[in-house]
Amino acid sequence: MNVLSIHDKINQLPPELLTEIEDYVDFILFKYAKQGNDKSGFEETQYLSSIPKMKDSIVEGMNTPIEECDKELD
């Protein structure tokens, strides 16, 4: 019987997928860890800033005129 450990399976994943999974896990852990923490706003900003292109996306959204925004969420 050929048995692979979870570490072997993880090592077979593409690096881009590992990075994406790590980002999701970090986000979930961050959300649960920050409950009741008065520094959560700063930590959230720090977390969002660590995601590639997130800062640029937020700034772009802030600079978008309200007339160009959708009236309903997808």
Side-chain angles (χ1 to χ4, degrees):
M1 178 181 205
N2 187 6
V3 178
L4 291 174
S5 73
I6 190 154
H7 297 291
D8 292 332
K9 291 285 189 182
I10 290 171
N11 288 332
Q12 293 175 0
L13 294 172
E16 303 83 16
L17 182 58
L18 285 175
T19 302
E20 189 171 336
I21 292 169
E22 183 179 66
D23 288 343
Y24 284 118
V25 170
D26 286 347
F27 177 75
I28 291 167
L29 293 174
F30 175 80
K31 290 293 273 184
Y32 284 104
K34 81 172 194 171
Q35 291 178 352
N37 187 347
D38 61 349
K39 296 185 288 185
S40 62
F42 173 76
E43 291 170 349
E44 186 171 354
T45 300
Q46 190 175 27
Y47 168 75
L48 290 173
S49 296
S50 72
I51 299 172
K53 299 182 184 179
M54 179 62 75
K55 181 180 174 184
D56 295 335
S57 176
I58 292 171
V59 170
E60 180 183 341
M62 290 173 47
N63 291 330
T64 301
I66 194 75
E67 298 80 26
E68 293 180 21
C69 295
D70 290 336
K71 294 182 189 221
E72 296 180 19
L73 297 176
D74 292 335

